[in-house]
Amino acid sequence: MLKIETEEHENRLLTMTVEVDAERVDRARRAAARRISQRANIPGFRKGKAPYEVVRRQFGDGAIYEEAVEDLGQQVYKEALGQAEIDPISSGSLEDVKLDPMVITYSVPLRPVVDLGDYRDIRHKFKPGVVVEEEFNDQLEHLREHQAVIDPVDRPARLGDIVVVNVAGHLIAGADGNDEKPFLLDDKNVSTLLEEETDWPAPGFLQHFAGMLAGEEKGVDYTFPDEYANEELRGKAAHFDVQVLEVKSRILPEWSDSLAQSIGDFESLLDLRLKLREQLQQRTDREADQAYAREVLDRVVAGAKVTFPQVVLDAELEEMLEDLDSRLREQGMTLQDYFKIQNTNREKVIAELEPQARERLKRSLVLTKLIEVEDLAVNDSDVDAQAEALSAPFGENREKIHQALRSDRLRQGLALNLHRDRAVDRLVAIANGENPASEPIVEPGPALEGQSSEEKKG
């Protein structure tokens, strides 16, 4: 039996100190000496045949102990975890080794602990969604704009026109404190509507497009406003090269029954208005339901006490950085491009993401705990139905998508998402005053294993 002492610290980190008996240490040292002799050329001896004392004289006790601990440390760690019945969330680390007697100290990250508090006492008033008249009118106008008559014109661009342009831009040398010309954009064949709200490629650029003819080019010096969304560009001087490829007029038709019929399956303008309002009400109702669910979950998370080791937070941050990298690659950029444009680095981005990562991790752990304490089960038929629903919109590719969703990994992700949806539904019911009792589904379903980043992504 190993002599084990443990001390738990904040954030679910355990210090485990293990004393190894002298006889086992001696065996480990002699085994280490044999391994060293197998790798080294020792005069007068074949590899692996040099006696222990010869190896000791030539390489010293330090080298032998180092070799012994490399192997013995892993063995002792596993044995100590089992003997002390410790269940770490990931691999621990060897922190210190003392000799005579040999005492090895490990840091062990433990699994997160979640105390949900009095979540079943939470009550929250539901606020129904209301269609805002301005939004209704905006949607109507959007439908009419899609029916606009667009024709190329041989005249200078003016308000209400569409221009097709190439725009390239960079910061002016010295604008950010060095002599380089940091890249901003190089966009080709971009169609933009000339209206007061136009803020591409930067706020106030409408005045530079207006008055230009098709085929005309010009350079524009520009200073980003002090209130610009990207703080790194506020007050910076830039230069844009603009080329207008086309100028197009845009004429909106008047509202009529025939226009409504051309937009879609509508009998009249009145029919269009009624159906549009119904669609907006359905969307508003869905948004109100989603907002209510978020508010309820926010209250439960705020009332919960969640502790987790740093290694779990590091995994969450790494996942968020990978998500950022994927989104950037879809835009033809890399993380290094992003760091350069934003004048930042990996460490700064991780520091900026940490508050969001902590909150996201806490919500995830709270939902997982709710699934456990409320006995919310998901069975195979539930997962099959979800896979069917997700693949149905893909038409002729439906079977291909459905087949992909049959993989163990994706089914595990679907099961996890269904579990979490049911956890949120249960919280909504509780907050509404229904306070349902836990009624587990007896049919076995996909098991939830641990809290890996991949499972959380689904």
PDB file of all heavy atoms in Angstrom, residues 6 43 52 55 64 115 318 360 432 453:
ATOM      1  N   THR A   6      -3.545  13.867   0.659  1.00  0.00           N
ATOM      2  CA  THR A   6      -4.165  14.741  -0.344  1.00  0.00           C
ATOM      3  C   THR A   6      -4.601  16.048   0.296  1.00  0.00           C
ATOM      4  O   THR A   6      -4.957  16.094   1.478  1.00  0.00           O
ATOM      5  CB  THR A   6      -5.388  14.074  -0.998  1.00  0.00           C
ATOM      6  OG1 THR A   6      -6.367  13.795   0.007  1.00  0.00           O
ATOM      7  CG2 THR A   6      -4.999  12.792  -1.716  1.00  0.00           C
ATOM      8  N   PRO A  43      32.642   1.027 -21.928  1.00  0.00           N
ATOM      9  CA  PRO A  43      33.832   0.215 -22.267  1.00  0.00           C
ATOM     10  C   PRO A  43      33.897  -1.085 -21.460  1.00  0.00           C
ATOM     11  O   PRO A  43      33.695  -1.101 -20.240  1.00  0.00           O
ATOM     12  CB  PRO A  43      35.003   1.136 -21.909  1.00  0.00           C
ATOM     13  CG  PRO A  43      34.426   2.520 -22.015  1.00  0.00           C
ATOM     14  CD  PRO A  43      33.004   2.405 -21.568  1.00  0.00           C
ATOM     15  N   TYR A  52      25.213  -2.662 -12.191  1.00  0.00           N
ATOM     16  CA  TYR A  52      24.594  -1.446 -11.651  1.00  0.00           C
ATOM     17  C   TYR A  52      25.645  -0.444 -11.169  1.00  0.00           C
ATOM     18  O   TYR A  52      25.563   0.755 -11.473  1.00  0.00           O
ATOM     19  CB  TYR A  52      23.655  -1.810 -10.505  1.00  0.00           C
ATOM     20  CG  TYR A  52      23.087  -0.618  -9.785  1.00  0.00           C
ATOM     21  CD1 TYR A  52      22.046   0.121 -10.333  1.00  0.00           C
ATOM     22  CD2 TYR A  52      23.612  -0.220  -8.550  1.00  0.00           C
ATOM     23  CE1 TYR A  52      21.535   1.224  -9.678  1.00  0.00           C
ATOM     24  CE2 TYR A  52      23.110   0.880  -7.878  1.00  0.00           C
ATOM     25  CZ  TYR A  52      22.058   1.611  -8.446  1.00  0.00           C
ATOM     26  OH  TYR A  52      21.561   2.701  -7.804  1.00  0.00           O
ATOM     27  N   VAL A  55      27.403   1.419 -13.987  1.00  0.00           N
ATOM     28  CA  VAL A  55      26.547   2.461 -14.560  1.00  0.00           C
ATOM     29  C   VAL A  55      26.452   3.643 -13.609  1.00  0.00           C
ATOM     30  O   VAL A  55      26.515   4.808 -14.023  1.00  0.00           O
ATOM     31  CB  VAL A  55      25.129   1.898 -14.856  1.00  0.00           C
ATOM     32  CG1 VAL A  55      24.219   3.002 -15.380  1.00  0.00           C
ATOM     33  CG2 VAL A  55      25.212   0.748 -15.848  1.00  0.00           C
ATOM     34  N   ILE A  64      20.373   8.228 -12.876  1.00  0.00           N
ATOM     35  CA  ILE A  64      19.606   7.007 -12.604  1.00  0.00           C
ATOM     36  C   ILE A  64      18.259   7.349 -11.975  1.00  0.00           C
ATOM     37  O   ILE A  64      17.216   6.805 -12.365  1.00  0.00           O
ATOM     38  CB  ILE A  64      20.414   6.065 -11.695  1.00  0.00           C
ATOM     39  CG1 ILE A  64      21.654   5.550 -12.448  1.00  0.00           C
ATOM     40  CG2 ILE A  64      19.556   4.901 -11.225  1.00  0.00           C
ATOM     41  CD1 ILE A  64      22.571   4.693 -11.605  1.00  0.00           C
ATOM     42  N   ASP A 115     -23.471  23.052  -7.774  1.00  0.00           N
ATOM     43  CA  ASP A 115     -24.563  23.149  -6.811  1.00  0.00           C
ATOM     44  C   ASP A 115     -25.627  24.046  -7.435  1.00  0.00           C
ATOM     45  O   ASP A 115     -25.414  25.247  -7.608  1.00  0.00           O
ATOM     46  CB  ASP A 115     -24.052  23.741  -5.496  1.00  0.00           C
ATOM     47  CG  ASP A 115     -25.156  23.874  -4.452  1.00  0.00           C
ATOM     48  OD1 ASP A 115     -26.326  23.563  -4.768  1.00  0.00           O
ATOM     49  OD2 ASP A 115     -24.860  24.302  -3.315  1.00  0.00           O
ATOM     50  N   GLU A 318      -9.586  26.945 -25.907  1.00  0.00           N
ATOM     51  CA  GLU A 318      -9.001  26.387 -27.124  1.00  0.00           C
ATOM     52  C   GLU A 318     -10.091  26.105 -28.156  1.00  0.00           C
ATOM     53  O   GLU A 318      -9.908  26.349 -29.360  1.00  0.00           O
ATOM     54  CB  GLU A 318      -8.240  25.108 -26.792  1.00  0.00           C
ATOM     55  CG  GLU A 318      -7.362  24.592 -27.921  1.00  0.00           C
ATOM     56  CD  GLU A 318      -6.277  25.573 -28.327  1.00  0.00           C
ATOM     57  OE1 GLU A 318      -5.764  26.293 -27.440  1.00  0.00           O
ATOM     58  OE2 GLU A 318      -5.959  25.633 -29.530  1.00  0.00           O
ATOM     59  N   ARG A 360     -19.772  30.550 -20.658  1.00  0.00           N
ATOM     60  CA  ARG A 360     -20.250  29.462 -21.506  1.00  0.00           C
ATOM     61  C   ARG A 360     -20.057  28.115 -20.829  1.00  0.00           C
ATOM     62  O   ARG A 360     -20.934  27.238 -20.872  1.00  0.00           O
ATOM     63  CB  ARG A 360     -19.501  29.496 -22.849  1.00  0.00           C
ATOM     64  CG  ARG A 360     -20.174  28.696 -23.944  1.00  0.00           C
ATOM     65  CD  ARG A 360     -19.552  28.964 -25.290  1.00  0.00           C
ATOM     66  NE  ARG A 360     -18.445  28.076 -25.575  1.00  0.00           N
ATOM     67  CZ  ARG A 360     -17.976  27.852 -26.805  1.00  0.00           C
ATOM     68  NH1 ARG A 360     -18.517  28.458 -27.833  1.00  0.00           N
ATOM     69  NH2 ARG A 360     -16.956  27.042 -27.000  1.00  0.00           N
ATOM     70  N   ASN A 432     -42.707  28.671 -14.986  1.00  0.00           N
ATOM     71  CA  ASN A 432     -44.123  28.975 -15.231  1.00  0.00           C
ATOM     72  C   ASN A 432     -45.013  28.551 -14.075  1.00  0.00           C
ATOM     73  O   ASN A 432     -46.227  28.800 -14.087  1.00  0.00           O
ATOM     74  CB  ASN A 432     -44.604  28.267 -16.510  1.00  0.00           C
ATOM     75  CG  ASN A 432     -44.292  29.086 -17.744  1.00  0.00           C
ATOM     76  OD1 ASN A 432     -44.325  30.311 -17.705  1.00  0.00           O
ATOM     77  ND2 ASN A 432     -43.986  28.410 -18.844  1.00  0.00           N
ATOM     78  N   SER A 453     -14.791  18.850 -25.045  1.00  0.00           N
ATOM     79  CA  SER A 453     -15.173  19.960 -25.919  1.00  0.00           C
ATOM     80  C   SER A 453     -15.932  19.467 -27.124  1.00  0.00           C
ATOM     81  O   SER A 453     -16.867  20.086 -27.605  1.00  0.00           O
ATOM     82  CB  SER A 453     -13.913  20.720 -26.362  1.00  0.00           C
ATOM     83  OG  SER A 453     -13.276  21.321 -25.267  1.00  0.00           O
TER      84      SER A 453
END
